[in-house]
């Protein structure tokens, strides 16, 4: 049955069908948004162009791990993984910083820049659920970026017949650290991205902040050590997200985890995990506040 | 009743955006009319459960806006006034995503997106990035994302804004079809009375947050026993003839407005015109115009 | 054709120093100054003689000042003076005026350079002062280095912003991956690094003291200057040419 409308377009009208099927709960919707976010973080489901950056960065975080695996399998006298597992993210921090900088805006800035956010909030999803889904998605993407090379490392180590108990313990500790890294970086990245929706500024802001903090941390620690200010050297790690998580692992007992000075076993060490919690909770809260300001109409 | 409010009030500090609103909206297309700043957006936000009323209550689809917000938002569609389409996504991608955000499972979202886009009139364009769309196409996508999840009621905020006359006609036609063919009731906000006349079944007029008037359009545009008479020739000759025949009338420019109580009066007019050898251009029953509403004194509906 | 349009300059100045971008830009010099102040404070705490060794000062200024501050500043300022306008399409208003494209480029470049002078070169000079306590060779050398590098970075990144919408990401890859990471492993890369060229100009200022101050660059001072000037001028010219043929559209 066809119909000619006033505008002259022909519509083959099999009629409008109503939908009587299942409707998902808000938790299921949140989960759907979460998976969409993880996909968006890797450029999945978009043009090939948007996949280049994330995949390139994934390769750059995995490359050193691959090289190390080759080295330990070829050189027979090595009985431990050079550099260790828990401090691996610290060594690839540039790639991680660029990944957050490039993908956090891809995940969240568009909703603000093009005012899509009101459409989300005129739907069943609440603002906290929206932020949770985005945060969790970004964190999972970052986790993959760190977990993959760590897994490559442990597989390579086991294949090279390194003592397995040590390897696996260190690996598991590092995976815990990877989760912490993911949470901290995702929080910082998404918050900055939400505050700088203009194109290009988000990337620049996130990378600038992360790298300046890293640079500050390295320099302050070096200065402190050179001038013998041991407390400052111990606390210098608080400045950079990467060193912060690294230090937290050390404080929580991982032996070869920390690249920080051992003086952290005293009371001051508790500042590390405390700050991690503060940063994650703070970024989450500020994100929710930012999106509460989004209104309709 | 799809929407009911009783004593609905919303204050933002010293500013009262909505005051003691008692409104009932039934099925079909209802217009929410008011000047900019009259409180239309605030009302929409409250109806969607996004804003807590200061006082009074509101129910949408039988659900309380203060307690059942998420459920309401799952069964109601919303089309914003402003631009809201990311330019690098295609219409299909976008509407599928929005459908899923409304609670449709993935497969159902894809199916319904295809259907909905077809119904609003987007064909091959739907696969192109929305950055290259014309305004008319964008409005259609905005409407599509509002109805993809088959809501019972859809709230349209100034849907014809920014469209040229042809575009306005198209959009109003779509709105009309949404109600009559798709069976979705519509609440349309606008500050333009004239166009709402063409599509609305009912009307809610607010000003400064207060209800000015509420009625169904049938009541508003009731027939009156007045007929407009236009002739091709000297209308001045016709006037005295009709007066002599006993009819009450007044002149409105070149048109005569004649009060007719029955068909006999109509015959009188026709015969008079014929006898004078004039050509009868128009003999039309007069209806109230919506604009008259604002000329009448403020009172209860 | 006048090389400077005051209206364009004024508008660009206000836009590039918009609240959010200005905050990010400010972060950089503040971090540098804080570091230098800290170094000074630590030196004071250690022993009565509050002196920071020249070698340490050189390290700080070369590492953080020329290595992090200038490239990032040049990136954000250089892309910020023209990138958002192109992205939002509001550049049409400018292009349809009877202003020569080169005037536009030069004016915007001027604004970027002004930002870099204010938030980069000046703070580097101030940092040198803070560290060494006097207007000596170290301060002078790094001020020159910051200036030369800053000019080149601004021109380069402004061109990048005209050429691609992903200027910031590409610029970051250059400044971070190419100059720092790759540069450490692949020998030849250092010759193609603006950072190295600006370091070379510092070496030039240090002259014979370069060895004492433990500073070296991948290329000689003269080469460094020449390359920086070539890049600055070449980028500006090419940017003007590209602007003449700018295509607008709803590109991704």
């Amino acid at each position: 049955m066809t119909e000619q409308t006033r505008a002259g377009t022909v519509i083959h009208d099999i009629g409008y069908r109503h939908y009587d099927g299942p409707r998902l709960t808000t938790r299921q919707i949140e989960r759907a948004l979460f998976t969409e976010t993880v996909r968006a973080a890797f450029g999945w489901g978009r043009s090939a162009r948007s996949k280049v950056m994330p995949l390139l960065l994934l390769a750059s975080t995995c490359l050193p791990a691959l090289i190390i695996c080759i080295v330990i399998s070829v050189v027979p006298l090595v009985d431990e993984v050079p550099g260790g597992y828990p401090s691996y993210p610290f060594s690839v921090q540039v790639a991680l910083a660029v990944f957050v900088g490039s993908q956090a805006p891809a995940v969240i800035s568009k909703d603000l820049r093009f005012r899509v956010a009101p459409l989300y909030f005129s739907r069943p999803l609440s603002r906290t659920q929206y932020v949770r889904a985005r945060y969790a998605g970004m964190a999972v993407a970052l986790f993959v970026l760190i977990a993959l090379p760590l897994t490559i490392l442990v597989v390579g180590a086991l294949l090279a017949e390194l003592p397995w108990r040590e390897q696996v313990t260190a690996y598991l500790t590092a995976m815990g650290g990877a989760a912490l890294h993911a949470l901290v970086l995702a929080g910082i990245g998404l918050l900055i991205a939400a505050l700088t929706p203009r194109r290009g500024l988000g990337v620049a802001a996130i990378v600038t902040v992360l790298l300046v903090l890293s640079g500050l941390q390295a320099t302050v620690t070096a200065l402190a050590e050179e001038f013998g200010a041991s407390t400052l050297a111990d606390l210098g790690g608080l400045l950079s997200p990467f060193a912060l998580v690294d230090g937290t692992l050390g404080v929580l007992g991982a032996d070869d985890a920390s690249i920080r000075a051992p003086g952290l076993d005293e009371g001051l060490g508790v500042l590390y995990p405390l700050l991690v919690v503060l940063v994650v909770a703070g970024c989450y809260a500020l994100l929710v506040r930012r999106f509460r300001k989004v209104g309709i109409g | 009743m799809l929407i009911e409010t009783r004593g609905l009030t919303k204050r933002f500090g010293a500013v009262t955006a909505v005051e003691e609103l008692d409104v009932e909206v039934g099925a079909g297309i209802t217009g929410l009319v008011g000047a900019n700043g009259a409180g239309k957006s605030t009302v929409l936000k409250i109806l969607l459960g996004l804003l807590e009323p200061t006082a009074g209550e509101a129910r949408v689809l039988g659900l309380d806006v203060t307690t059942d917000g998420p459920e309401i938002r799952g069964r109601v569609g919303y089309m914003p006034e402003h631009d809201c389409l990311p330019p690098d996504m295609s219409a299909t991608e976008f509407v599928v995503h929005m459908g899923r955000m409304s609670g449709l499972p993935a497969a159902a979202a894809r199916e319904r997106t295809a259907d909905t886009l077809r119904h609003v009139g987007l064909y091959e364009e739907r696969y192109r990035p929305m950055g290259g769309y014309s305004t008319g196409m964008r409005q259609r996508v905005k409407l599509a994302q509002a109805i993809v999840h088959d809501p019972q009621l859809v709230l349209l905020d100034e849907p014809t804004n920014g469209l040229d006359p042809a575009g306005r006609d198209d959009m109003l036609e779509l709105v009309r079809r949404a109600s009559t063919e798709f069976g979705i009731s519509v609440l349309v906000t606008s500050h333009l009375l004239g166009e709402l006349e063409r599509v609305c079944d009912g009307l809610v007029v607010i000003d400064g947050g207060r209800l000015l008037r509420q009625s169904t359009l049938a009541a508003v545009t009731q027939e009156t026993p007045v007929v407009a008479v236009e002739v091709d020739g000297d209308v001045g000759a016709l006037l005295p003839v009709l007066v002599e025949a006993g009819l009450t009338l007044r002149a409105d420019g070149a048109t005569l407005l004649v009060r007719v109580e029955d068909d006999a009066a109509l015959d009188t007019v026709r015969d008079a015109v014929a006898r004078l050898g004039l050509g009868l251009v128009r003999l039309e029953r007069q209806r109230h115009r919506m604009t008259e509403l604002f000329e009448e004194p403020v009172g209860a509906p | 054709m006048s090389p400077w349009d005051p209206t364009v300059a004024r508008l660009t100045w206000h836009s590039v120093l918009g609240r959010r971008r200005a905050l990010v830009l400010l972060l950089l010099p503040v971090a540098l100054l804080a570091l230098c102040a800290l170094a000074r404070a630590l030196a004071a705490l250690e022993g009565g003689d509050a002196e920071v060794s020249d070698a340490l000062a050189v390290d700080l200024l070369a590492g953080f000042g020329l290595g992090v501050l200038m490239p990032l500043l040049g990136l954000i300022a250089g892309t910020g003076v023209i990138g958002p306008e192109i992205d939002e399409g509001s550049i049409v208003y400018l292009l349809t005026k009877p202003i020569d494209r080169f005037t536009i480029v030069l004016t915007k470049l001027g604004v970027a350079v002004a930002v870099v002078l204010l938030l980069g070169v000046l703070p580097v000079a101030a940092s040198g002062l803070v560290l060494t306590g006097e207007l000596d060779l170290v301060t002078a050398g790094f001020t020159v280095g910051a200036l030369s590098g800053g000019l080149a970075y601004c021109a380069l990144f402004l061109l990048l912003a005209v050429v691609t919408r992903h200027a910031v990401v590409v610029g970051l890859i250059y400044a971070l991956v190419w100059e720092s990471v790759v540069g450490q492993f692949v020998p030849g890369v250092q010759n193609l690094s603006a950072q190295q060229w600006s370091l070379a100009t510092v070496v030039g200022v240090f002259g014979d003291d370069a060895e004492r101050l433990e500073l070296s660059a991948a290329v000689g001072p003269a080469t460094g200057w020449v390359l920086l000037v070539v890049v600055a001028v070449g980028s500006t010219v090419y940017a003007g040419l590209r602007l003449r043929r700018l295509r607008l559209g709803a590109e991704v």
Side-chain angles (χ1 to χ4, degrees), chain C residues 224-250:
Chain C
W225 271 111
V226 168
L227 286 170
L228 283 173
V229 169
V230 165
V231 165
V233 172
S235 303
T236 313
V237 169
Y238 190 40
L241 289 173
R242 281 299 287 253
L243 203 60
R244 285 205 168 138
R245 284 183 280 121
L246 190 69
R247 260 181 44 204
L248 292 166

Side-chain angles (χ1 to χ4, degrees), chain A residues 213-259:
Chain A
L213 287 177
S214 274
L216 276 175
Q217 180 264 320
T219 319
V220 167
T221 314
L223 281 177
E225 278 168 6
E226 175 153 334
F227 287 104
S230 60
T231 320
L232 188 61
D234 289 341
L235 294 181
L238 291 173
L239 279 171
S240 146
F242 300 98
L244 176 66
V245 175
D246 203 75
T248 305
L249 284 180
V251 167
L252 292 178
D255 283 329
D256 61 343
S258 184
I259 63 171

Side-chain angles (χ1 to χ4, degrees), chain B residues 78-102:
Chain B
Y78 170 67
M79 173 178 161
E81 180 191 348
H82 56 77
D83 277 329
C84 56
L85 307 177
D88 58 338
M89 278 182 108
S90 68
T92 311
E93 280 178 291
F94 182 67
V95 177
V96 167
H97 182 64
M98 284 299 150
R100 295 189 66 186
M101 291 299 106
S102 287

Side-chain angles (χ1 to χ4, degrees), chain C residues 56-71:
Chain C
L56 181 60
V58 166
D59 260 345
L60 271 177
L61 290 173
F64 201 87
L66 292 191
V68 174
L69 178 68
M70 294 316 294

Side-chain angles (χ1 to χ4, degrees), chain A residues 53 195 198-199 211 216 219, chain C residues 20 60 87-88 169 176:
Chain A
M53 207 45 185
L195 295 174
R198 282 191 109 177
R199 183 201 272 268
L211 292 185
L216 276 175
T219 319
Chain C
R20 304 266 158 93
L60 271 177
D87 185 54
E88 288 164 13
V169 178
L176 299 175

